[in-house]
Amino acid sequence: MTFSFAAKASVLLLFLGSTLYVHLRGKARLPVLRQFVNHSALFAPYNALMYLFSGVPSKPYLDRSKFPELDVLKDNWEVIRDEAMHLFDEGYIRAAEKHNDAGFGSFFKKGWKRFYLKWYDKPLPSAEALCPKTVALVSSIPNVKGAMFALLPGGSHLNPHRDPFAGSLRYHLGLSTPNSDDCRIFVDGQVYAWRDGEDVMFDETYVHWVKNESEKTRVILFCDIERPLSNRVMTFINRWLSGLLGRATAPQNLDDERVGGINQAYAWSKNSSDKVSGVVKRWKRRNPKAYRVLRPVLAVVVLTLLGYWLFA
């Protein structure tokens, strides 16, 4: 069965329209070309549905009091902090050593580190063994789909980005922070500075970035919270897709823990691309004029292939 021109055009317009909508949502934006090739564009049609049926307001920061089930985390923040700092002291909060963490691959270059507690279907065995109290608290809240300890060293930052999946919201609980305005997150340009024992909820599909301009390392509890939806059918679809993506992106803290297919593919592509990029960089240094000529030629080839698919 082949698609007609009208069907192909409709698919293309749906993708372009929803990606443009995501791009224009909010005040802070990625460069236009980057947005259309960014991984968040892949989910743009789905995310538009999430926004349409969202049970919470469409704004960068959300009222945390509307999620009273999370009170148990804030009320026990010192218990959570003690387990997190033990892991920190023992070196368990760390970067992915095998490039098998697709969701946060670019963060590790900035010194960002993590230790997973739960990832969508169940807690990680290493977390159950090393921080049982925190795992029990997190697991007692059904709408906490993913949780980790996240670390950012002093003098570091995370560049502007938007998370790709609008089926969840982001929750942060300060554990060991600089307690300073020098360590802060910007969500759609609006600033929040972490404090020990204080929490915040935000929509991570807005463009956001982080600056830790203090000298102290920031450690927080970082959770994905299921987005409340106003439609039962959409809630069912979102839970199904979240579970599917969660299994596909299953991470590991220790080598003997399962890794999802997407993370395995990311590790393979990262290792392969590192080899290819090394060859390309060497060729570029030797042939700078040819490189400048080939870049627009490749762009024309991609556009030609797209046009052939659309009009064939």
Side-chain angles (χ1 to χ4, degrees):
M1 179 181 177
T2 58
F3 284 101
S4 67
F5 170 79
K8 293 177 181 178
S10 297
V11 170
L12 184 59
L13 287 174
L14 175 64
F15 170 76
L16 294 176
S18 55
T19 303
L20 187 61
Y21 169 69
V22 169
H23 175 68
L24 295 175
R25 182 174 178 259
K27 298 178 181 178
R29 295 166 189 152
L30 301 175
V32 175
L33 290 178
R34 179 184 166 191
Q35 178 59 67
F36 277 87
V37 298
N38 187 263
H39 59 298
S40 65
L42 296 175
F43 284 94
Y46 182 81
N47 288 350
L49 285 175
M50 291 294 98
Y51 303 140
L52 178 63
F53 292 102
S54 181
V56 296
S58 181
K59 59 182 184 179
Y61 291 98
L62 300 164
D63 185 353
R64 220 288 283 147
S65 68
K66 301 298 183 182
F67 298 82
E69 66 275 15
L70 300 177
D71 289 348
V72 67
L73 298 178
K74 185 175 182 180
D75 292 344
N76 288 277
W77 77 271
E78 291 173 307
V79 173
I80 298 171
R81 178 200 60 194
D82 290 347
E83 288 195 327
M85 298 316 294
H86 174 71
L87 291 177
F88 173 62
D89 291 339
E90 295 295 322
Y92 283 106
I93 305 179
R94 57 196 180 196
E97 297 177 346
K98 296 182 178 179
H99 303 297
N100 57 4
D101 196 337
F104 303 99
S106 63
F107 288 7
F108 298 128
K109 299 175 183 178
K110 306 295 183 181
W112 187 89
K113 301 175 182 179
R114 83 291 181 266
F115 181 88
Y116 285 98
L117 302 166
K118 174 185 179 182
W119 197 248
Y120 283 79
D121 56 352
K122 58 185 178 181
L124 276 72
S126 56
E128 291 181 307
L130 295 168
C131 43
K133 295 177 182 178
T134 302
V135 168
L137 289 167
V138 167
S139 298
S140 71
I141 309 171
N143 63 341
V144 175
K145 300 303 181 183
M148 69 180 79
F149 294 130
L151 177 157
L152 186 69
S156 189
H157 69 280
L158 301 178
N159 291 327
H161 62 283
R162 67 166 85 247
D163 286 29
F165 184 61
S168 62
L169 303 167
R170 185 64 43 78
Y171 172 78
H172 284 180
L173 172 62
L175 300 177
S176 177
T177 74
N179 290 304
S180 165
D181 290 343
D182 289 336
C183 183
R184 59 205 186 277
I185 185 171
F186 298 82
V187 184
D188 199 33
Q190 300 178 33
V191 67
Y192 173 84
W194 292 280
R195 297 288 192 276
D196 292 359
E198 298 297 321
D199 56 6
V200 66
M201 179 82 75
F202 62 95
D203 184 337
E204 74 271 30
T205 59
Y206 282 98
V207 174
H208 55 286
W209 60 98
V210 174
K211 292 183 179 181
N212 184 1
E213 296 176 319
S214 75
E215 297 180 353
K216 183 178 178 181
T217 294
R218 180 223 67 180
V219 180
I220 60 171
L221 176 67
F222 172 121
C223 298
D224 279 354
I225 310 298
E226 180 181 309
R227 179 186 289 270
L229 299 172
S230 61
N231 182 281
R232 290 184 180 180
V233 174
M234 291 306 302
T235 298
F236 173 82
I237 292 172
N238 189 44
R239 288 176 180 172
W240 175 81
L241 184 58
S242 295
L244 183 67
L245 292 173
R247 289 186 291 274
T249 57
Q252 65 175 191
N253 296 318
L254 303 179
D255 288 343
D256 59 351
E257 291 173 323
R258 174 184 173 272
V259 178
I262 288 178
N263 282 340
Q264 292 181 37
Y266 177 78
W268 178 85
S269 65
K270 184 70 170 63
N271 292 328
S272 299
S273 66
D274 285 347
K275 296 176 183 178
V276 172
S277 64
V279 173
V280 171
K281 287 178 181 178
R282 289 193 294 272
W283 186 84
K284 177 183 175 182
R285 286 195 295 268
R286 296 191 189 106
N287 306 277
K289 292 182 179 179
Y291 177 78
R292 287 195 295 270
V293 170
L294 281 176
R295 284 185 65 185
V297 169
L298 288 174
V300 170
V301 169
V302 171
L303 291 174
T304 301
L305 291 173
L306 179 60
Y308 176 79
W309 174 82
L310 185 60
F311 292 103

